[in-house]
Amino acid sequence: MKTKITLGLIAAVLLTQAGCTTKIRSLPLPSALQTQNAQDVALYFGDDAHAPVKQTFGNKEFAVRVNRQPEKSPEATCNIALTKAIQELRDYARTQHANAVINVKTRFQHNESTSPAEFTCGASLNGSTLAVRGDVVMLETN
């Protein structure tokens, strides 16, 4: 009887742990985020070139966690998390009357990416998590 209970507890722990395993992923940045839209707050990832800074509003970070949906892959939920975090960053920039966010970085825990082509995300069977940070600024316009 004790053996069955012990085996049952071990199985429960293993199943619980299997669902909590988070993998750090480096994924391609969606092309929509790599293209600047003159009507929206511009994003400049890492060391992307940009116009001179006219005014700085400070550094801002938003962290987002998206629950995994059964029909979506971990990569898809990472993209959803990135889109939500970028939207929050842009919304904040608008409230500051900024026209750009420069030095944009993505991270999961201590793993950070400044790449203009990739982003970092933590994905598990339960969902995806990441943070997006950047310097909110007003760039000079021509």
Side-chain angles (χ1 to χ4, degrees):
M1 183 71 175
K2 282 186 178 182
T3 304
K4 286 183 180 180
I5 292 173
T6 303
L7 288 175
L9 289 173
I10 290 171
V13 168
L14 289 175
L15 287 173
T16 302
Q17 293 301 315
C20 294
T21 303
T22 300
K23 293 184 180 172
I24 300 167
R25 298 180 184 265
S26 183
L27 300 168
L29 198 62
S31 58
L33 292 178
Q34 294 175 352
T35 307
Q36 299 300 345
N37 177 349
Q39 305 303 317
D40 206 352
V41 173
L43 301 173
Y44 296 92
F45 287 81
D47 293 332
D48 277 347
H50 55 79
V53 175
K54 186 174 170 181
Q55 185 177 1
T56 301
F57 300 98
N59 189 278
K60 192 68 175 170
E61 178 176 283
F62 290 96
V64 173
R65 183 180 191 296
V66 175
N67 290 331
R68 180 149 180 259
Q69 299 161 6
E71 69 279 359
K72 301 224 186 264
S73 68
E75 292 80 10
T77 56
C78 278
N79 281 325
I80 293 167
L82 176 65
T83 300
K84 287 184 176 191
I86 291 293
Q87 187 62 47
E88 288 186 35
L89 190 59
R90 280 184 161 149
D91 288 347
Y92 175 80
R94 282 186 208 98
T95 66
Q96 301 301 307
H97 304 289
N99 64 0
V101 181
I102 61 172
N103 304 320
V104 177
K105 300 172 184 162
T106 60
R107 73 172 177 81
F108 173 72
Q109 294 178 346
H110 301 291
N111 299 286
E112 188 172 82
S113 173
T114 60
S115 171
E118 296 181 333
F119 71 100
T120 299
C121 179
S124 72
L125 295 175
N126 298 324
S128 297
T129 305
L130 61 74
V132 175
R133 178 179 53 217
D135 298 322
V136 179
V137 299
M138 174 64 73
L139 297 178
E140 291 181 9
T141 56
N142 294 334

